[in-house]
């Protein structure tokens, strides 16, 4: 039996004139996600994208998993392509292909869609005929048109007739890359990978920026960030990771700034430097994993001081979320277990005992200016490390 995947577009249906462009990006993202699984033909018609394996040995279970993480797809189904576009072929295929579901069910109904108007039977006739055959082959079943356990879908399209059961919910969102590019500040914590995932879902292509302070932070801490990004990239697609050498800046911070302002000035330096990198990488926004009130550097006052450091718009998708809500998403995208591995982050180096929760912007700016970070900023930006991230399945 020849199986195919049928994917329904999501919000891109709303985009009118841009629709073609959106669909092209979506198809490209699907192709990238499936690349290592074999060859596929990917076509689209009538808000359905059809994915047809071109080789025999394709792992279709894995293909479904991957397609389920591509943003822009509302739902998908695994369907059987009937031998021919005839009622006999539909009747031969459906009861066999859906045997498992039909045996487990008590009630069912058939729903037919006939977009090829040349097909000799009309939709109600298709339902009646196939329904009769299924009842005959599975006598334990009853028809229930309102709340059936299983719906058998028959679709007669231009390129063929196919049969499938209920669709599976897709990842939703907007195809990655259709909304532009953004730089995400990524730590090894729980929050920033979730923030990255959420903004990729809104169509942004990501560049990840990570600040490392060796020897205070270890090689393994950085590897942990790579592993987190490999997980995120199953949704966000391949991305570039940029590691910024932050040690000299943090040492200067320790030596030349008031202790209670360490964290806030560090956050400002991160934003400033990420903004510079963002310009070089064509990114038009910054993303952080900050959540209001979670720690001293995430109060309104502190966030105002952080925001002041960069001109670009800053997206903080977790700002109104509870920790548990964030953790639930981290579980869903499978980053949680990696995030809680106990390696130090540069944020935990030289943390003040009593950080200011209501910093005054004027004093923060003055303290930062007095210390004079510019030469060290330039030097760090000359020594960025670039790593290409691809999904880890
Ligand atoms: P996370 O779980 O993402 O580490 P957090 O709740 O621990 O967040 P902070 O450590 O204060 O909060 O960091 C706030 C945000 O600053 C992070 O979500 C991330 O976007 C950014 N950030 C923190 N540390 C780094 C780092 N080493 N490199 C790049 N960005 C960082
Ligand atoms: Mg952190």
């Amino acid at each position: 039996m020849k199986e195919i995947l049928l994917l329904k577009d999501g919000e891109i249906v709303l985009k009118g004139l841009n629709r073609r462009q959106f669909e092209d990006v979506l198809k490209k993202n699907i192709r990238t996600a499936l690349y290592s699984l074999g060859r596929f033909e990917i076509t689209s018609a009538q808000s359905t994208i059809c994915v047809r394996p071109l080789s025999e040995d394709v792992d279709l279970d894995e293909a479904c998993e991957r397609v389920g993480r591509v943003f822009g797809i509302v739902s998908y189904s695994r369907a059987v392509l009937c031998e021919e576009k005839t009622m006999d072929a539909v009747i031969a295929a459906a009861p066999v292909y859906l045997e498992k579901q039909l045996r487990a069910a008590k009630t069912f109904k058939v729903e037919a869609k006939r977009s090829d108007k040349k097909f000799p039977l009309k939709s109600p006739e298709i339902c009646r005929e196939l329904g009769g055959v299924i009842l005959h082959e599975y006598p334990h079943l009853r028809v229930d048109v309102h709340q059936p356990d299983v719906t058998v879908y028959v679709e007669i399209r231009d390129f063929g007739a196919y049969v499938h059961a209920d669709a599976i919910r897709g990842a939703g969102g907007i195809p990655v890359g259709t909304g532009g590019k953004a730089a995400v500040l990524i730590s090894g914590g729980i929050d920033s990978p979730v923030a990255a995932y959420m903004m990729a879902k809104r169509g942004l292509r990501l560049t990840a920026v990570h600040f490392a302070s060796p020897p205070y932070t270890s090689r393994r801490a950085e590897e942990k960030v790579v592993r987190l990004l490999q997980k995120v990239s199953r949704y966000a697609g391949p991305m570039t990771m940029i590691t910024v050498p932050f040690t000299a800046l943090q040492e200067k911070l320790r030596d030349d700034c008031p202790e209670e302002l360490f964290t806030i000035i560090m956050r400002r330096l991160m934003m400033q430097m990420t903004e510079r990198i963002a310009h070089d990488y064509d990114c038009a926004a910054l993303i952080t994993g900050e959540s209001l009130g979670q720690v001293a550097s995430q109060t309104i006052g502190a966030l105002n001081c952080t925001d002041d450091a960069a001109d670009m718009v800053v997206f903080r998708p977790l700002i109104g979320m509870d920790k548990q809500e964030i953790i639930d998403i981290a579980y869903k995208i499978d980053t949680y277990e990696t995030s809680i591995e106990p390696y130090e982050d540069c944020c935990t180096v030289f943390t003040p005992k009593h950080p200011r929760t209501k910093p005054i912007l004027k004093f923060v700016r003055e303290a930062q200016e007095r210390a004079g970070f510019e030469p060290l900023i330039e030097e760090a930006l000359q020594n960025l490390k670039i790593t290409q991230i691809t999904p880890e399945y």
Side-chain angles (χ1 to χ4, degrees), residues 187-189 345 347:
S187 69
D345 181 60
C347 284

Side-chain angles (χ1 to χ4, degrees), residues 183-186 207-214 217 222 225 241-250 266 269-278 281 345-346 376-387:
V184 56
L185 287 95
I186 195 99
T207 295
V209 178
H210 175 66
F211 291 80
S213 295
T217 60
E222 208 181 311
V225 176
M241 169 184 171
I242 294 158
T243 309
V244 185
F246 205 41
T247 314
L249 284 138
Q250 277 199 289
M266 184 189 68
L269 290 168
M270 284 187 179
M271 299 304 262
Q272 249 170 294
M273 294 169 80
T274 305
E275 187 176 43
R276 291 271 301 272
I277 296 167
Y281 281 79
D345 181 60
C346 70
L376 291 179
I377 291 180
E378 296 306 324
E379 196 187 328
L381 292 176
Q382 293 300 316
N383 289 290
L384 301 175
K385 189 174 108 194
I386 315 290
T387 312

Side-chain angles (χ1 to χ4, degrees), residues 212-217 245-257 262 266 269 346 349-350 371 373 376:
S213 295
Y216 305 105
T217 60
F246 205 41
T247 314
L249 284 138
Q250 277 199 289
E251 283 173 342
K252 183 165 193 56
L253 188 61
R254 176 195 58 193
D255 296 341
D256 297 349
C257 291
F262 277 5
M266 184 189 68
L269 290 168
C346 70
V349 179
F350 318 135
F373 288 97
L376 291 179

Side-chain angles (χ1 to χ4, degrees), residues 37-329:
L37 289 180
R39 286 175 54 238
F40 296 86
E41 180 195 68
I42 301 173
T43 51
S44 56
Q46 300 144 331
S47 35
T48 302
I49 293 177
C50 175
V51 177
R52 227 188 274 240
L54 294 178
S55 33
E56 291 293 315
D57 53 346
V58 167
D59 180 349
L60 221 54
D61 290 332
E62 177 63 19
C64 283
E65 291 270 320
R66 292 191 190 183
V67 153
R69 294 191 205 102
V70 175
F71 293 130
I73 297 169
V74 220
S75 69
Y76 60 97
S77 3
R78 191 169 166 161
V80 66
L81 189 63
C82 302
E83 290 284 335
E84 315 169 328
K85 207 166 29 168
T86 62
M87 197 57 213
D88 283 347
V90 169
I91 284 171
V96 182
Y97 183 62
L98 299 178
E99 180 181 350
K100 213 169 95 203
Q101 289 96 320
L102 291 170
R103 281 207 190 287
K106 288 199 177 73
T107 58
F108 82 107
K109 75 168 171 180
V110 179
E111 236 179 63
K113 247 195 232 137
R114 171 174 158 273
S115 54
D116 173 8
K117 300 296 176 202
K118 288 197 287 279
F119 194 73
L121 279 76
K122 296 214 169 63
S123 297
E125 293 164 344
I126 298 173
C127 294
R128 217 175 312 126
E129 275 212 28
L130 180 59
V133 171
I134 291 176
L135 279 174
H136 183 73
E137 290 194 24
Y138 299 94
H140 74 283
L141 283 175
R142 265 187 316 108
V143 173
D144 180 344
V145 291
H146 301 294
Q147 277 194 315
D149 297 336
V150 176
T151 303
V152 176
Y153 293 89
V154 178
E155 303 203 27
I156 313 287
R157 298 235 180 194
D158 294 342
F159 57 83
Y162 48 83
V163 172
H164 60 88
D166 295 300
I168 301 158
R169 191 163 159 184
I174 304 173
V176 168
T178 55
K181 281 181 72 180
V184 56
L185 287 95
I186 195 99
S187 69
I190 297 169
D191 303 335
S192 43
V194 171
Y197 157 84
M198 287 176 73
M199 296 319 297
K201 187 170 183 176
R202 298 316 298 164
L204 298 183
R205 167 112 18 233
L206 306 178
T207 295
V209 178
H210 175 66
F211 291 80
S213 295
Y216 305 105
T217 60
S218 66
R219 173 83 214 137
R220 306 210 22 210
E222 208 181 311
E223 280 163 10
K224 172 183 167 184
V225 176
V226 170
R227 280 185 284 124
L228 282 171
L229 287 174
Q230 286 170 335
K231 299 260 186 193
V232 172
S233 114
R234 299 186 304 170
Y235 295 88
M239 65 179 101
T240 302
M241 169 184 171
I242 294 158
T243 309
V244 185
F246 205 41
T247 314
L249 284 138
Q250 277 199 289
E251 283 173 342
K252 183 165 193 56
L253 188 61
R254 176 195 58 193
D255 296 341
D256 297 349
C257 291
E259 185 184 325
E260 71 274 16
L261 298 182
F262 277 5
T263 315
I264 197 70
I265 295 176
M266 184 189 68
R267 309 274 321 128
R268 285 171 57 89
L269 290 168
M270 284 187 179
M271 299 304 262
Q272 249 170 294
M273 294 169 80
T274 305
E275 187 176 43
R276 291 271 301 272
I277 296 167
H279 280 300
D280 288 344
Y281 281 79
D282 252 356
C283 297
L286 309 181
I287 301 168
T288 75
E290 289 158 314
S291 164
L292 190 63
Q294 201 187 76
V295 287
S297 60
Q298 297 175 20
T299 60
I300 295 189
L303 289 172
N304 266 312
C305 289
T306 312
D307 249 9
D308 171 70
D311 291 327
M312 259 181 207
V313 61
V314 181
F315 294 138
R316 298 183 169 91
L318 313 185
I319 199 71
M321 288 171 76
D322 287 350
K323 194 74 188 183
Q324 192 55 50
E325 292 171 315
I326 300 168
I327 288 174
D328 289 347
I329 300 180

